[in-house]
Amino acid sequence: MTSSQVQAATCKRRYNIAFFKMHKCSSSTVQNILMRFGDKYNLDFVLPSSGNYLGHTYFSKKAAMNFPVSDYNILCHHTRFSKEGFSSVMKKDALYVTILRDPATMFESTFTYMNYPQRYHLAGPSALATFLKSPFRYYQSSSGKDHVKDSMLFDLGLGMEFKFDQAAIDKKIELSSRDFDLVMMTEYFPESLILLKDVMCWDFEDIAYFKMNARSKSQIPKISETMVKQIREWNKGDSLLYDHFNRTFWEKVRAFGEERMRKEVDQLEEMNRELRDRCIGQVVVNDRQVWHPAGVKVESFKLKPSAANDRMCKAMAKPELLMTGYIRQKQIARYYGGAPPTL
């Protein structure tokens, strides 16, 4: 019996997970996986009353819809991390998970997605390069600095006043090491999902995915090595955070088994290919039902006619806002009555 067969025979499926949804880190794809899983097993979600944000400050249960539930199975919507806040609503044995991304590509994505060129009156393809020549000057020039520097640390709860405080940054990284059971990596997304599957004792079908809320490839510029160095220096705190968890991530991969990991990644990617062939008729850009910032091309999916009643296909392709609305109405119907929605 292989090690994976032994694990499958002895582990017990887990249902409780607190996923801190990090901006611009493929977190919408993870969220879709979690919403599908929770829908499949009729689990209880921590949900915003509208939209897809559980507030824009440190998470508190006051930001969530009120259901007659003492603690919840899944939290997976945008908020700002507070271990105390998350613990106040989650099952005691919940797994705490988040995902990080290389600060260089993340900052470029954030810069574009949050329309910083317009904010800083920068035009054309050189807008990011111009910003990086004197980032502190631009940073000081306007309010709304949350994600202009060290966005990941800010989302994890580092106060604005500590973004230039090395001791506070080091402490936040240390606290994050204790707060999270698994920190996934955008650059190693399939490997991250295999680790998630392993610790949650899930199946490959549970972690199959289509990439959600992705920018059109034609809109993703190449950034020079000089710009990479400038971005990482400007986002020094995020670079330290990422490098720390990149090391611990590969420690987990080695403990899992590198050959086993390669085989399971191949298996996951083959399942994804089969599902794309079964489900996806067309990739569309800026569908009216998918929110996207002005000037940013965001991809979503149209199903094949043959997949119109395929529940798996429908759930995997459903955009975040629509899937959140479906989960919300289902949970309202479960606790307060009314007809449950259809997927």
Side-chain angles (χ1 to χ4, degrees):
M1 186 178 285
T2 66
S3 58
S4 59
Q5 288 171 326
V6 170
Q7 191 266 352
T10 57
C11 74
K12 183 179 180 182
R13 184 186 296 276
R14 297 175 64 171
Y15 298 93
N16 306 320
I17 181 168
F19 175 62
F20 180 68
K21 189 175 188 288
M22 188 73 74
H23 286 91
K24 310 313 299 167
C25 290
S26 299
S27 58
S28 292
T29 305
V30 181
Q31 181 192 51
N32 178 268
I33 288 169
L34 299 181
M35 288 197 287
R36 282 168 22 219
F37 182 83
D39 177 44
K40 180 178 179 180
Y41 291 101
N42 294 313
L43 303 180
D44 290 318
F45 285 82
V46 181
L47 292 168
S49 57
S50 62
N52 60 335
Y53 270 78
L54 287 162
H56 293 269
T57 59
Y58 295 110
F59 175 77
S60 163
K61 66 193 317 180
K62 294 177 183 177
M65 289 186 71
N66 183 38
F67 292 96
V69 175
S70 57
D71 41 29
Y72 291 79
N73 304 109
I74 297 177
L75 190 160
C76 62
H77 283 80
H78 272 309
T79 184
R80 195 160 174 229
F81 186 70
S82 160
K83 185 61 179 287
E84 181 182 2
F86 275 42
S87 298
S88 71
V89 295
M90 293 303 303
K91 299 277 190 185
K92 300 304 179 190
D93 65 344
L95 189 82
Y96 281 73
V97 179
T98 191
I99 185 166
L100 303 179
R101 181 179 178 185
D102 187 301
T105 55
M106 183 186 182
F107 187 78
E108 182 282 318
S109 180
T110 301
F111 190 84
T112 302
Y113 201 84
M114 296 190 175
N115 209 357
Y116 289 158
Q118 182 179 23
R119 176 186 298 185
Y120 296 120
H121 308 293
L122 301 169
S126 63
L128 178 57
T130 302
F131 173 91
L132 290 171
K133 289 177 182 176
S134 50
F136 188 69
R137 176 168 68 85
Y138 289 108
Y139 179 81
Q140 286 185 305
S141 70
S142 72
S143 58
K145 298 176 171 63
D146 298 355
H147 295 96
V148 182
K149 174 178 169 58
D150 292 330
S151 173
M152 292 187 288
L153 280 170
F154 174 80
D155 281 349
L156 287 172
L158 183 73
M160 288 292 298
E161 67 275 23
F162 297 117
K163 286 199 174 188
F164 296 91
D165 185 327
Q166 189 59 53
I169 289 169
D170 292 341
K171 184 177 180 180
K172 173 51 68 176
I173 294 171
E174 180 187 347
L175 282 173
S176 297
S177 295
R178 299 204 297 264
D179 286 341
F180 291 97
D181 302 294
L182 174 64
V183 176
M184 303 167 68
M185 293 282 149
T186 301
E187 290 74 20
Y188 307 104
F189 195 69
E191 292 87 348
S192 295
L193 290 178
I194 297 299
L195 292 180
L196 178 66
K197 177 182 76 70
D198 184 63
V199 73
M200 294 296 288
C201 195
W202 287 359
D203 302 321
F204 280 97
E205 186 176 286
D206 296 325
I207 61 165
Y209 66 93
F210 302 144
K211 193 172 182 182
M212 306 299 289
N213 200 32
R215 269 189 302 169
S216 175
K217 289 183 175 60
S218 65
Q219 277 210 315
I220 302 175
K222 293 202 74 169
I223 51 178
S224 68
E225 284 301 314
T226 297
M227 292 170 71
V228 167
K229 290 177 183 177
Q230 290 173 319
I231 291 171
R232 288 183 68 92
E233 181 59 33
W234 171 239
N235 294 277
K236 184 178 179 181
D238 273 359
S239 298
L240 291 169
L241 176 79
Y242 179 84
D243 291 345
H244 170 82
F245 281 107
N246 192 40
R247 287 192 296 271
T248 62
F249 176 83
W250 287 106
E251 288 169 7
K252 290 180 184 292
V253 170
R254 286 189 288 272
F256 180 85
E258 293 182 57
E259 179 60 26
R260 178 185 170 199
M261 176 61 76
R262 282 190 288 272
K263 289 179 178 178
E264 296 211 7
V265 165
D266 287 346
Q267 192 171 341
L268 173 60
E269 292 183 338
E270 176 60 27
M271 177 171 281
N272 288 339
R273 283 191 291 271
E274 291 174 357
L275 283 162
R276 282 195 292 271
D277 289 343
R278 168 177 141 191
C279 300
I280 303 303
Q282 183 183 2
V283 176
V284 296
V285 174
N286 289 358
D287 186 280
R288 287 183 303 168
Q289 293 182 308
V290 179
W291 184 85
H292 53 274
V296 177
K297 297 179 180 179
V298 175
E299 296 180 344
S300 57
F301 310 102
K302 293 291 186 185
L303 297 180
K304 290 180 175 179
S306 58
N309 296 311
D310 186 320
R311 185 175 180 83
M312 179 80 170
C313 292
K314 288 166 70 176
M316 289 185 70
K318 208 170 190 70
E320 177 182 355
L321 286 170
L322 295 181
M323 191 66 173
T324 297
Y326 162 76
I327 293 289
R328 183 187 295 117
Q329 290 306 311
K330 180 179 178 181
Q331 202 156 300
I332 289 171
R334 179 157 70 241
Y335 287 107
Y336 297 116
T342 56
L343 184 64

